[in-house]
Each structure stands twice: as C-alpha cells, then as structure tokens.
Amino acid sequence: MDTIEDKLPVDVAANLKELKEDLDLKIPPKKLEKNLLIATWNIRGFGDITRKWTSAPTDSPKRDLHSLVCIAEIIKRFDVIAVQEVKANLKGLRDVLKVLGSDWSLILTDVNQGDVGNGERMAYLFDTRRVNLSGLACELVVPDEWTKTINKGMLDKQFVRSPYAVSFRAQNQTFILVTLHILFGNTSSDRITELKGIAKWLASWADDVNAYHQNLIALGDFNIDKRGDLLNQTFISEGLYIPPALQNDKVTRSIFDETKYYDQIAWFQNSNKKNNLSLEFITGGNYDFIKTALSNRGLTKQALSFMLSDHYPL
C-alpha cells in the first residue's frame, strides 16, 4: 500500500533530507534500554490540512502535506510527545500518525467546550517499540474541599483546558505525564489562578505517586511570558523544579520572541532538593526548525507558524 512518503515530490524529498540531517545532529538518538526521549510541542491550530504538497495562497488551511511530513519527522525523534492545540478536526493528526507508521499510537482528550477552551484537545503520540500505556488516563477536576484551604477565588471555577494525565511504561519504569495548556488571558496575572491551582494539585499527587516509585512529570504550554516572578509565584513555590538545562537563555520556546518562557517540562523535588524521580535526568533543550523545515519555500516566520508552529518542541 502506498503511503504519503512514497509519493514525495523531488523538492519536498530534498528538504526532508535536509531536515533529517539537522535532526540527527541536534536530537539525541534513541538507544535501546539506555534512554527515554520525552517532548512537548504546541502545534499551532493542529486540525485540518490542505491535502496538496504545496498549498496555494487561496487555500485554507495553509498547512499542507509538505509541512505534515516535516511535523512527523520531528515527532518521530521522540519516544513520547505531548501535543497541545489539537483541534476538533483530526485530519492533520491522523495523517501524521499514518506517516509515523504502525509502530506509533496516540491517546487524546475530547474537545474542550466553551469559547475559552478554543475547541482544543490534549494528545500524546508515542512509539510503541519504546513506550506503552500502563493504565491511567485522567483529566483534572477541582475538589470542592480545596476551596477552603487556599486563597479566596483561587479555585472557584474549573480549568478551561483540563490538564491531562496519562501513565506510560518504558522497560521497568513507570512514569505519569501531565500535559497542560494554561489560559492566556489578557495579562500575565490572569494566569496565576490556573497555574497555582494546577501546581497545588500536582504537588499533592506527586507525594502519593512517589511512594509507588512512579515518576510524575508536568509538561506543556504554561503560557509564562518571562523567566522569574510568575513562575516563582505559582509552580516553583509549590516545589516544582525545572532543570537548569531548560532554563538557560539558549533554550527558546517561541519562534517570534526568544524571551518568552511559555513551554515547560518540570517535576518535583523532595525537602533535600533531590528529584522525586526514579528516572535520571540527562539533558534537555529545544529544536529550532526555522532554518531547515520548509526552507525551500521562502516563507515568512508568520507564514511558517501556520504551516509548522509558532512554538518550538521542547
């Protein structure tokens, strides 16, 4: 049976080769029983696609088959990747899964209802040769009792996009990933309620799962503009830890503004500042696709953001 990649036009094949070579240099290879590669990526408005290799100026959406195979090539470098901004229309996601092949699977939420939910889903794609589901899948619901133990108004309504937790198993290790996409709001202070509430929930859960030698890792689009105050007020104050490898200025999240600090991967530490993980953290970073993916198309950053994303994978 023919696949999308069997029919690559010459220019697309040449660009995909360039992308693969760049990924080989910048993303660690998968090593059997030696490492686990976890990522998060907000893929802008990841829904419908135009099933042409090159979308025309009049086409909507602009995302086409060329951008789709580039997205798939980036995703396949990881063992499991949390994806935000998956839309109600799953055509793009399902086509990416076809390109990834039969060794890949996915699990995702239903659509978040309501205007502020923006018609989005949370999803995980994972390489079943390396990672499998281990049983748990849930969305965060705020318990009424918490409203009595935290600041007034902190959790007086549900989250607009409920954080999505799924447990996986790789070799003899179990780990729980919690992906989130925080409400952006009008100002950074609008995000404090959700960030603080989610951090409190994660902290209480981390104490429990750590007793069973499981690993709890939060990842996704935290919508934090800058390094510092907002992060300290919300996540860090509850004990969440972001490794220095993901905090240095060379690790950027936004293709438009390298000072933005939107996307995060974090976990908890105990009172002795030791990671509450049985996994050992080795390294982390972002993948900058600007100079390679679709580089033959002469696109502006704005146009590229609708084809690939306005976020880098972390």
Side-chain angles (χ1 to χ4, degrees), residues 12 60 62 66 86 100 121-122 135 143 149 151 195 210 243 314:
V12 174
S60 180
K62 298 303 180 189
H66 185 181
V86 175
L100 290 171
R121 308 172 187 262
M122 303 285 197
T149 63
N151 294 339
L195 285 165
N210 188 54
L314 189 70

Side-chain angles (χ1 to χ4, degrees), residues 223-274:
N223 264 324
I224 294 172
D225 277 336
K226 299 176 182 178
R227 306 165 203 266
D229 290 346
L230 184 58
L231 194 66
N232 293 336
Q233 289 176 44
T234 55
F235 275 81
I236 292 175
S237 65
E238 294 292 338
L240 260 179
Y241 169 77
I242 298 169
L246 294 180
Q247 293 200 56
N248 71 69
D249 292 340
K250 293 180 180 179
V251 179
T252 54
R253 279 77 169 169
S254 167
I255 74 170
F256 296 116
D257 187 344
E258 64 184 23
T259 67
K260 300 302 182 185
Y261 208 45
Y262 298 140
D263 307 283
Q264 303 291 344
I265 301 175
W267 51 84
F268 287 89
Q269 291 187 324
N270 62 26
S271 57
N272 296 319
K273 301 297 182 182
K274 298 292 185 182

Side-chain angles (χ1 to χ4, degrees), residues 156-200:
D156 59 359
K157 58 183 179 180
Q158 292 295 333
F159 303 109
V160 297
R161 291 181 285 251
S162 296
Y164 185 42
V166 174
S167 64
F168 297 91
R169 189 168 183 82
Q171 297 299 322
N172 63 342
Q173 294 277 1
T174 298
F175 59 100
I176 300 169
L177 300 182
V178 185
T179 187
L180 52 143
H181 188 187
I182 297 297
L183 172 69
F184 192 77
N186 295 316
T187 66
S188 60
S189 61
D190 292 339
R191 292 157 228 164
I192 291 177
T193 296
E194 282 208 331
L195 285 165
K196 189 75 173 177
I198 291 170
K200 178 178 175 61

Side-chain angles (χ1 to χ4, degrees), residues 18 27 39 96 98 115 137 168 290:
E18 180 185 6
I27 303 297
V96 161
K98 290 176 184 176
D115 291 341
F168 297 91
I290 292 287

